[in-house]
Amino acid sequence: MSSSEPSHATRALARSSWGYRLRSELEASARFRALAPLLRAQATSPLVADMAEESASDELRHARLCRELVAHFGGESGSELPVSPSRLAPPGIEGREGVLYEVVALCCVTETLSTALLAELVARAQDQVCRGAMHEILCDEVKHSRLGWALLAEEHARGVRDCVGRHLPQMLRDTLGRDFFDSPMQLEPRANELAGLGFLERPERQRIVRETLDHVIFPGLDRFGVDTVLGRRWLAGFDPEPG
């Protein structure tokens, strides 16, 4: 192994990271596939429903890319297991509003954050196989994010009430994990090497997520009538201490 190649330990961490993402892509595909008929039943524009079906196929392709990366880093990805996604909308939000909540959580929040994180990873990528896969996924995640904003714009124009704002803290906790903004972990000695293979340390992920919420997601939700006060207050509770 040349000095420029990642160490065995670094490759093991990369395998673990891409194995986790493989499962996430399968879950995303199942969510989009379940949403497509609901969108058609709610008489949204055919374009939005078509985008959901295309997104489901995209996510399956992403899962194959993740499987290839697990193998690229020396691992066994195993066989695909069926995924049944759980409901994202809280009890009491049903029908058209329930579908809107699901799409906002999946696309406006999750896919927009994924786009920002992947853009940083592509910029740092040192492994060409990894860079190519991440760039392909990134291009699709941009489209998936747009699906959410397109539906939110349609529903806002229809006069659908804000069913999201009061639940934003819970939505963000569900998306990020309850301990995402806990005290940053110490940087791994292999942090720069891992970033080149598709893995960002928690402090960097926190920074990118915070900036994307502040400058992209919250302003976008505000624009289409979602009250972001509680979401902004939740995020402000994790502001880094000065100095």
Side-chain angles (χ1 to χ4, degrees):
M1 177 181 294
S2 72
S3 60
S4 62
E5 293 178 334
S7 67
H8 177 77
T10 301
R11 291 171 67 84
L13 286 170
R15 288 197 300 272
S16 176
S17 176
W18 285 105
Y20 175 81
R21 291 177 190 179
L22 166 59
R23 181 71 179 178
S24 297
E25 298 291 354
L26 292 174
E27 290 176 353
S29 177
R31 289 193 187 284
F32 278 118
R33 198 164 301 282
L35 277 171
L38 296 177
L39 289 166
R40 294 195 192 283
Q42 296 296 336
T44 57
S45 68
L47 175 62
V48 171
D50 289 346
M51 288 174 71
E53 290 182 348
E54 291 170 6
S55 297
S57 297
D58 290 341
E59 300 289 6
L60 283 181
R61 178 164 39 81
H62 297 172
R64 290 194 293 271
L65 291 170
C66 291
R67 185 175 296 104
E68 291 168 4
L69 284 169
V70 171
H72 175 65
F73 291 118
E76 295 288 338
S77 61
S79 58
E80 285 187 13
L81 297 175
V83 175
S84 299
S86 59
R87 174 183 164 90
L88 297 177
I93 301 182
E94 305 292 342
R96 192 176 207 99
E97 291 175 352
V99 173
L100 177 61
Y101 186 103
E102 297 273 332
V103 173
V104 169
L106 178 58
C107 300
C108 299
V109 175
T110 302
E111 297 289 322
T112 302
L113 290 174
S114 179
T115 296
L117 290 163
L118 275 165
E120 184 71 17
L121 286 167
V122 169
R124 297 185 183 201
Q126 298 166 3
D127 181 285
Q128 292 305 308
V129 174
C130 199
R131 180 196 295 272
M134 290 191 298
H135 186 268
E136 182 173 339
I137 295 171
L138 171 61
C139 292
D140 290 332
E141 302 293 70
V142 172
K143 294 187 302 180
H144 303 169
S145 173
R146 288 174 180 164
L147 185 165
W149 298 112
L151 180 65
L152 190 57
E154 282 188 14
E155 298 301 88
H156 180 58
R158 287 176 183 264
V160 173
R161 71 184 181 91
D162 174 17
C163 62
V164 174
R166 67 186 183 278
H167 298 291
L168 267 178
Q170 182 65 49
M171 183 185 290
L172 294 172
R173 283 192 293 268
D174 290 344
T175 299
L176 298 170
R178 292 180 179 273
D179 64 346
F180 181 80
F181 280 114
D182 283 355
S183 298
M185 300 181 295
Q186 292 292 322
L187 285 174
E188 287 274 352
R190 297 177 294 274
N192 289 334
E193 202 175 11
L194 282 167
L197 304 179
F199 179 87
L200 290 173
E201 289 292 326
R202 178 176 286 189
E204 277 297 280
R205 297 199 307 272
Q206 289 175 335
R207 176 187 65 80
I208 294 166
V209 165
R210 184 184 300 280
E211 291 175 356
T212 306
L213 286 169
D214 275 337
H215 302 303
V216 179
I217 294 175
F218 288 151
L221 294 175
D222 285 334
R223 178 183 178 189
F224 296 117
V226 175
D227 186 347
T228 60
V229 169
L230 294 180
R232 292 177 185 273
R233 188 178 300 162
W234 177 84
L235 183 62
F238 303 102
D239 277 343
E241 294 183 4

